[in-house]
Amino acid sequence: MAYFELMPENFDLTGYQYVPLMYAWDVKFDGRRRTGLVANGKVIIGPPEEDVWSGVVNTESLCTAMFLAMLNGMKFLAADISLAYLMADTKEVMYTRLGLEFGDLAGKLAIIKKVLYGLIGSYAQLHYHLCAELKNIGFKPSKADPDLWLRDAGDHYKYMTKYIDGILIMSKDSKTILDLLQKPKGPYKIKGVGSPEYYLGGDVKITY
């Protein structure tokens, strides 16, 4: 229950918004299916615009970084952060009623502590959390695109791009960098690790 905090029925909900929970289903581009418990964010009033904004790398930056990485003989490693949203704390003041899927806790009043899919400010909070972790391992955002990250390696730069919860590492030691982000060294559980085949809506084929 790290994602919710149970509250007594007489808890003062002044200033809180109610958001119902629901299940969402999705089919990925490669046929994978997934489902998850999400917030029905369409029924709430969102936070200020500055608390919602979240950038993603643009195509021109990605192509430039990939060209430079190939020129320097770097390895490409793509990965997804599993349960990424649940890593960051929410800034939105929300409560809900737990459903039957919570067993003995069904019907309980709960404050939402972590960002959930469906909350309007979730993208932004994940963005801030991931940016902080990238800075911790020595990366800095480029001046041209804040979602293209660089790390000085002396005679070249290492690159990393991020698109919501998907990252692409371009380095001569890509696996070492990934290990700094994933458990046990880092905070994230990583899935889908491998050479990129599909990124930013397009197929990827790397030839040297």
Side-chain angles (χ1 to χ4, degrees):
M1 291 297 291
Y3 313 124
F4 303 95
E5 182 179 353
L6 296 178
M7 307 302 293
E9 287 297 322
N10 61 355
F11 180 74
D12 184 6
L13 292 172
T14 303
Y16 285 80
Q17 290 190 74
Y18 172 74
V19 57
L21 302 179
M22 57 183 285
Y23 275 98
W25 286 263
D26 189 23
V27 179
K28 298 294 185 178
F29 69 92
D30 57 1
R32 288 178 296 145
R33 298 170 175 84
R34 63 176 297 179
T35 183
L37 187 67
V38 303
N40 187 357
K42 68 180 182 180
V43 303
I44 63 176
I45 300 174
E49 183 176 349
E50 61 270 17
D51 292 335
V52 174
W53 182 88
S54 173
V56 294
V57 66
N58 67 54
T59 305
E60 290 80 7
S61 299
L62 174 65
C63 291
T64 301
M66 292 181 74
F67 169 75
L68 293 172
M70 293 176 68
L71 195 63
N72 285 279
M74 297 183 189
K75 298 177 181 178
F76 292 73
L77 194 61
D80 292 326
I81 300 173
S82 180
L83 302 175
Y85 284 80
L86 299 180
M87 298 301 302
D89 295 328
T90 183
K91 292 179 66 177
E92 297 174 74
V93 185
M94 303 286 173
Y95 78 96
T96 191
R97 290 279 180 184
L98 302 182
L100 296 176
E101 63 273 10
F102 286 88
D104 293 340
L105 298 178
K108 296 288 186 180
L109 178 68
I111 302 300
I112 297 176
K113 306 296 291 184
K114 297 289 186 179
V115 296
L116 296 177
Y117 284 98
L119 292 181
I120 298 174
S122 293
Y123 279 158
Q125 292 307 110
L126 172 60
H127 171 80
Y128 298 143
H129 192 279
L130 181 53
C131 287
E133 292 301 325
L134 293 183
K135 290 178 180 178
N136 286 341
I137 62 173
F139 279 83
K140 297 180 180 180
S142 68
K143 295 181 179 180
D145 185 340
D147 292 292
L148 169 62
W149 290 70
L150 314 175
R151 178 172 164 180
D152 192 347
D155 60 346
H156 68 280
Y157 281 95
K158 304 175 182 183
Y159 305 101
M160 187 183 304
T161 64
K162 67 179 197 65
Y163 189 90
I164 308 178
D165 56 356
I167 58 175
L168 177 61
I169 303 170
M170 292 161 273
S171 172
K172 295 180 180 179
D173 58 348
S174 296
K175 183 61 169 60
T176 301
I177 294 175
L178 183 65
D179 287 341
L180 295 176
L181 289 173
Q182 70 178 343
K183 295 179 178 181
K185 293 183 179 179
Y188 301 119
K189 181 180 178 181
I190 303 295
K191 63 181 181 179
V193 179
S195 180
E197 299 178 355
Y198 187 88
Y199 198 72
L200 291 187
D203 294 329
V204 176
K205 185 177 181 181
I206 300 171
T207 56
Y208 292 93

